[in-house]
């Protein structure tokens, strides 16, 4: 179940999107989030959808995996869609049974909101699916660079983030192992009344904490031994490489914004 | 209790970009009361096979028959609890599963989950602590205050307390000092004999496999490529090398000796004691021949 | 005579200075190690080996006695200087992998020491070549085997070109092949660079390969000497939770079985050699 989730994971590859500079991709996503709110009629929403699928196409991530891996997100999507359908009134009454009445405006809003939600999830997923965690951290560290002046510990934050990301697969494995070990001892997670379920989590959480602390301690030792003492005087091994395609991608997005703006009502 | 793996295939993370095939058409028969060692290069699928033995993993292809029960891809979770009580599993670094306030409570966790009474569970815990050579006062201590070797023993006691019919061991002695290693392996063997357990051991130590097992299975790239008696499996050096394994030290020494002397010993030496006996015999015969 | 690279003088350390009832993790320990030696440090679980390793590079400071390394006495001031000249590899391959990929991890110590970028690229390649992992530059840790991870960890320690490498049970979580890979790597490194190695291990076969063995028991030094000297004490080691190398165990078993083996043999080949001489003489 857990292993099917692809939200936040990285699939190595060699597409146009994979090769983009992480800084460009991060800027792209933030800009895109803003642009989504420009759309306000059927045409602009359709354009938004088309643009998103174009990006998915460029990333060479199979749509099937994307849809399959984001299933939990779709449940949320259907829920918001329903909310709008049932509670937004306005325009013609389309149909009604019992106390439920569906209006034209409700349906419209429901569809629009869903599209907005969908494209946001798709585009952010494409960012994480095509960019290794370390590149994302690098990108963020450089983009946040100017904030060092106001004493924001940018380097420490970035390092913390990259280490957490590095340990996610390890901790996931660990959780699986401990879960199995306790299941083998007859602990029954995921059935029975709530109180029993909460109790059943304890044998899972305690070993997880213990081992996470142990790992953190070992890691701190390993870092100290290799001479780590904060960001001061450190040099960087990773150098980012901003190319023409990165500039072009951002320009393309700006162009697209202009088009959306033109067609919006 | 017999366990039968029939054409078992398993893929981790089925139907995702991360899908990883770990087993192909595995057939293994583990007869009741046997001591089976599963050996193989790292990543060959040993641990994956083990987890099928008590239905922690359900095969994505084929089926596993555990005693009376058959488990395949469609088997529902409810029926698996009973299997898990009968098949106890000691994972690698089992001390990682300790969680309770006291050693006593931790050992009682398994039995209580399966509906054993408090008194009975506590009786078992007291008995096991003694059997595993732990001082009696550890029962009231927190498991996290113990040394690494002691924690390992407590975790093992936690599995044994369920009184399983089948005991499944995944490299149970990794990281222990030589003495601790020998004591624990001897203990498992003693239990195997005394309680008539069916034992399955995954190990990287050819010496342990040769010493304790009466059946050996070789895993290679997700397939079970050979099963047989230790003497047959370990005397076939070419096959072992093909699967990136080595014969046990005793056999390597025996071969060196045979080569140097230009003679052949009568039987294959699976243990150090057997090797000493075989060599002594060769000397005796050599003397008589003169 | 070679120079002393690491020395302990009457070192005592306890994790619980307030609780007198707990025996110190390390007590009255003295030894010195010469440049270029290969030392094996053995002892039962909890005998203080890892504590010694931590004292060696200033992760811990002794309550009594003195630790000196590279001609410097260990102190808050000399600490970083000493550390930059020694590498350390630990037991658990997963818990010491700092970087997100192989090359990031190897570069970590270089980044910390402010090595310029061009130099880093060269050194990362060089260290990875030394452990034969140069093809794995962009691999992520969870896609490597245990032995490969440990070799990357060694490369990470080598990148700073240390004079001393400390291995704390670096092979104990590995399969036999992974263990062989690592030991072989260390051997070649020593030939190539004359590196001093201190290896903490439970594997007596591995210890038998060292120049000198230090045996620990309950926080104290039990014995120190060449493998021959140490293993000659025989069954004494077994009572300390240790064991003898296979060839020596066989020698003893053969004697019990009535075969008159004269020598004490550390390796199988030596044993077979004696058996052969003996056999053919009759
Ligand atoms: N949770 C998992 N998700 C994905 N792949 C996995 C998982 N666990 C194991 N694998 C893969 O399945 C294959 C078999 O792994 P398994 O752990 O059974 O090997 P093993 O023989 O026990 O190895 P080792 O001797 O190193 O313990 C390996 O290629 C491994 O990478
Ligand atoms: N962080 C700690 N806090 C308190 N006591 C500790 C700590 N680490 C180790 N000890 C104790 O110090 C003693 C020596 O431990 P150390 O880890 O040095 O042993 P070791 O020889 O490395 O053992 P192993 O072979 O199991 O790795 C043990 O009695 C141990 O319980
Ligand atoms: Mg395994
Ligand atoms: Mg240690």
């Amino acid at each position: 179940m857990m292993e099917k989730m692809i939200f936040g994971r990285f699939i190595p590859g060699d597409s146009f999107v994979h090769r983009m500079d992480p800084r460009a991709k991060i800027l792209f996503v933030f800009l895109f989030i803003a642009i989504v709110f420009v759309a306000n009629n059927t045409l602009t929403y359709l354009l938004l959808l088309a643009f998103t699928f174009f990006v998915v196409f460029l990333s060479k991530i199979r749509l099937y995996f994307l849809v399959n891996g984001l299933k939990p997100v779709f449940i949320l999507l259907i829920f918001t869609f329903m909310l709008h359908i049932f509670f937004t009134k306005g325009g013609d009454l389309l149909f009604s049974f019992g106390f439920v009445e569906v209006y034209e405006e409700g349906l419209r809003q429901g569809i629009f909101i869903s599209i907005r939600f969908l494209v946001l999830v798709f585009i952010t997923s494409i960012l994480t699916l095509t960019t290794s965690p370390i590149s994302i951290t690098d990108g963020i560290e450089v983009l946040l660079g100017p904030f060092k002046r106001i004493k924001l510990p940018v380097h420490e934050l970035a390092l913390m983030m990259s280490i957490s990301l590095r340990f996610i697969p390890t901790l996931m494995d660990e959780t699986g192992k401990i879960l199995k070990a306790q299941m083998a001892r007859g602990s029954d997670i995921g059935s029975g009344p709530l109180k029993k379920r909460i109790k059943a989590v304890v044998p899972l959480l305690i070993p997880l904490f213990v081992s996470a602390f142990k790992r953190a301690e070992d890691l701190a030792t390993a870092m100290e031994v290799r001479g780590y003492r904060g960001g001061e005087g450190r040099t960087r091994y990773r150098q980012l490489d901003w190319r023409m395609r990165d500039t072009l991608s951002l320009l393309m997005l700006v162009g697209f914004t202009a088009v959306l703006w033109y067609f919006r009502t | 209790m017999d366990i039968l793996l029939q054409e078992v295939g398993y893929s981790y993370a089925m139907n995702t970009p991360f899908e990883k095939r770990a087993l192909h058409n595995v057939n293994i028969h583990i007869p009741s009361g046997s001591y089976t060692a599963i050996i193989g290069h790292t990543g060959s699928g040993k641990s994956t096979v083990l987890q099928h033995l008590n239905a922690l993993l359900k095969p994505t292809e084929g089926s596993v028959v555990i005693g009376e029960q058959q488990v395949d891809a469609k088997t529902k979770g409810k029926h698996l609890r009973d299997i898990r009580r009968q098949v106890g599993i000691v994972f690698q670094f089992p001390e990682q599963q300790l969680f309770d306030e006291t050693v006593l409570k931790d050992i009682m966790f398994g039995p209580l989950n399966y509906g054993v009474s408090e008194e009975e569970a506590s009786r078992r815990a007291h008995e096991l602590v003694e059997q595993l050579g732990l001082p009696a006062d550890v029962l009231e201590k927190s498991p996290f205050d113990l040394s690494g070797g002691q924690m390992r023993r407590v975790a093992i006691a936690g599995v044994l307390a369920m009184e399983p019919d089948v005991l499944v061991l995944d490299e149970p002695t990794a990281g222990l000092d030589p003495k601790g290693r020998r004591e624990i392996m001897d203990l498992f063997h003693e239990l195997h004999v005394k309680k008539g357990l069916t034992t399955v051991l995954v190990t990287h130590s050819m010496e342990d496999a040769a010493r304790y097992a009466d059946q050996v299975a070789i895993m290679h790239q997700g397939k079970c490529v050979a099963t047989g008696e230790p003497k047959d499996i370990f005397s076939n050096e070419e096959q072992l090398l093909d699967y990136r394994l080595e014969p046990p030290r005793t056999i390597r020494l025996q071969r060196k000796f045979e080569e140097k002397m230009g003679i052949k010993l009568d039987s294959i030496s699976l243990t150090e004691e057997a090797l000493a006996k075989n060599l002594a015999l060769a000397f005796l015969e050599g003397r008589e021949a003169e | 005579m070679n120079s002393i690279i690491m020395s302990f003088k009457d070192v005592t350390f306890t994790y619980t200075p307030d609780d007198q009832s707990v025996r110190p993790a390390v007590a009255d320990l003295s030894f010195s190690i010469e440049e270029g030696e290969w030392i094996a440090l053995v002892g039962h679980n909890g005998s203080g080996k890892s504590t010694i390793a931590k004292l060696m590079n200033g992760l811990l400071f002794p309550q009594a006695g003195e630790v000196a390394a590279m001609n410097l006495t260990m102190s808050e001031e000399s600490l970083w200087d000493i550390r930059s000249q020694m590498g350390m590899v630990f037991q658990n391959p997963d818990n010491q992998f700092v970087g997100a990929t192989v090359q990031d991890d190897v570069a970590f110590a270089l980044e910390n020491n402010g090595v310029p970028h061009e130099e880093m690229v060269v050194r990362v390649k060089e260290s990875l070549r030394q452990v034969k992992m140069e093809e794995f530059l962009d691999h992520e840790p969870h896609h490597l085997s245990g032995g490969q991870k440990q070799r990357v960890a060694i490369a990470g320690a080598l990148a700073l070109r240390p004079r001393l490498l400390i291995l704390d049970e670096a092979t104990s979580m590995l399969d036999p092949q992974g263990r062989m890979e690592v030991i072989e790597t260390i051997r070649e490194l020593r030939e190539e660079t004359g590196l001093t190695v201190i290896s903490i291990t439970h594997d007596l076969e591995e210890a038998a390969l060292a120049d000198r063995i230090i045996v620990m028991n309950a926080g104290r030094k039990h014995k120190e000497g060449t493998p021959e000297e140490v293993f000659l004490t025989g069954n004494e080691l077994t009572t300390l939770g240790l064991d003898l190398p296979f060839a020596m165990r066989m020698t003893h078993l053969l004697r019990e079985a009535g075969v008159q083996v004269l020598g004490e043999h550390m390796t199988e080949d030596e044993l077979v050699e004696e058996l052969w001489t003996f056999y053919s003489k009759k």
Side-chain angles (χ1 to χ4, degrees), chain B residues 232-264:
Chain B
D232 298 325
I233 293 283
F234 288 124
S235 54
N236 189 345
E237 271 129 281
E238 271 157 39
Q239 174 175 293
L240 288 172
L241 288 180
D242 281 350
Y243 301 130
R244 300 166 75 186
L245 298 168
E246 283 200 327
R249 286 208 186 92
T250 49
I251 296 179
R252 292 210 300 264
L253 184 63
Q254 175 172 351
R255 294 292 185 233
K256 274 185 190 157
F257 178 79
E258 288 173 341
E259 204 173 297
K260 191 103 188 170
M261 310 289 186
I263 58 168
K264 198 110 186 116

Side-chain angles (χ1 to χ4, degrees), chain B:
Chain B
M1 199 161 75
D2 276 40
I3 300 182
L4 196 61
L5 279 81
Q6 294 169 318
E7 296 295 326
V8 169
Y10 187 81
S11 297
Y12 287 99
M14 270 283 252
N15 299 328
T16 71
F18 311 103
E19 179 166 333
K20 174 102 201 347
R21 183 81 172 182
L23 298 180
H24 309 264
N25 305 84
V26 174
N27 290 296
I28 302 179
H29 176 210
I30 297 164
S32 189
S34 68
Y35 195 129
T36 303
I38 302 180
I39 57 177
H41 192 253
T42 172
S44 57
K46 303 182 296 295
S47 301
T48 311
V49 166
L50 275 200
Q51 291 170 46
H52 281 86
L53 301 182
N54 72 346
L56 279 173
L57 296 178
K58 289 185 280 180
T60 46
E61 287 160 25
S63 66
V64 183
V65 181
I66 304 165
E68 304 287 295
Q69 290 233 41
Q70 170 156 347
V71 179
D72 57 30
K74 290 190 213 74
T75 310
K76 286 277 180 299
K78 282 186 220 112
H79 308 294
L80 305 178
R81 259 177 78 82
D82 211 33
I83 294 178
R84 298 207 181 115
R85 192 196 59 73
Q86 291 168 3
V87 184
I89 180 161
V90 177
F91 283 96
Q92 213 176 356
F93 303 105
E95 54 274 24
Q96 283 173 359
Q97 72 203 37
L98 300 175
F99 72 95
D100 225 323
E101 290 157 57
T102 67
V103 168
L104 177 68
K105 283 189 188 168
D106 206 290
I107 298 179
M108 285 165 62
F109 177 68
L112 291 182
N113 277 332
Y114 287 115
V116 173
S117 71
E118 289 262 350
E119 301 81 62
E120 170 63 11
S122 157
R123 188 193 63 73
R124 288 184 191 174
H126 282 85
E127 192 183 294
L128 280 164
V129 159
E130 199 192 315
Q131 234 174 23
L132 284 162
L134 291 163
D137 67 340
V138 296
L139 279 169
E140 294 310 319
K141 284 191 187 163
S142 156
F144 301 107
D145 284 344
L146 306 180
S147 76
Q150 290 176 327
M151 278 168 83
R152 178 76 54 95
R153 282 162 209 252
V154 169
I156 291 172
V159 175
L160 292 176
M162 298 187 292
E163 305 204 326
D165 304 323
V166 181
L167 190 57
V168 175
L169 310 165
D170 196 350
E171 295 179 48
T173 60
L176 293 184
D177 60 33
K179 184 166 155 226
R181 190 170 306 180
R182 212 172 29 240
E183 282 172 0
I184 288 194
M185 286 314 296
D186 284 343
L187 175 89
F188 284 132
H189 190 248
E190 194 186 309
L191 285 170
H192 173 78
V193 175
K194 258 202 212 147
K195 299 205 171 170
L197 296 182
T198 309
T199 308
V200 182
L201 169 72
V202 161
T203 182
H204 281 300
S205 160
M206 299 302 126
E207 289 73 27
D208 282 350
R211 184 180 193 88
Y212 298 106
D214 44 41
Q215 174 180 244
V216 178
I218 304 180
M219 290 296 299
H220 183 65
Q221 295 179 347
K223 300 196 183 87
C224 176
V225 287
T227 47
E229 286 184 41
K231 66 174 170 36
D232 298 325
I233 293 283
F234 288 124
S235 54
N236 189 345
E237 271 129 281
E238 271 157 39
Q239 174 175 293
L240 288 172
L241 288 180
D242 281 350
Y243 301 130
R244 300 166 75 186
L245 298 168
E246 283 200 327
R249 286 208 186 92
T250 49
I251 296 179
R252 292 210 300 264
L253 184 63
Q254 175 172 351
R255 294 292 185 233
K256 274 185 190 157
F257 178 79
E258 288 173 341
E259 204 173 297
K260 191 103 188 170
M261 310 289 186
I263 58 168
K264 198 110 186 116
L265 300 188
D266 295 337
S267 65
I268 196 98
S269 316
L270 292 174
T271 65
E272 293 174 3
E273 294 81 3
L275 177 60
K277 220 169 92 194
N278 280 341
L279 289 177
L281 219 67
F283 274 91
L284 232 83
E285 277 166 15
R287 205 167 294 160
E288 277 163 16
E290 270 163 43

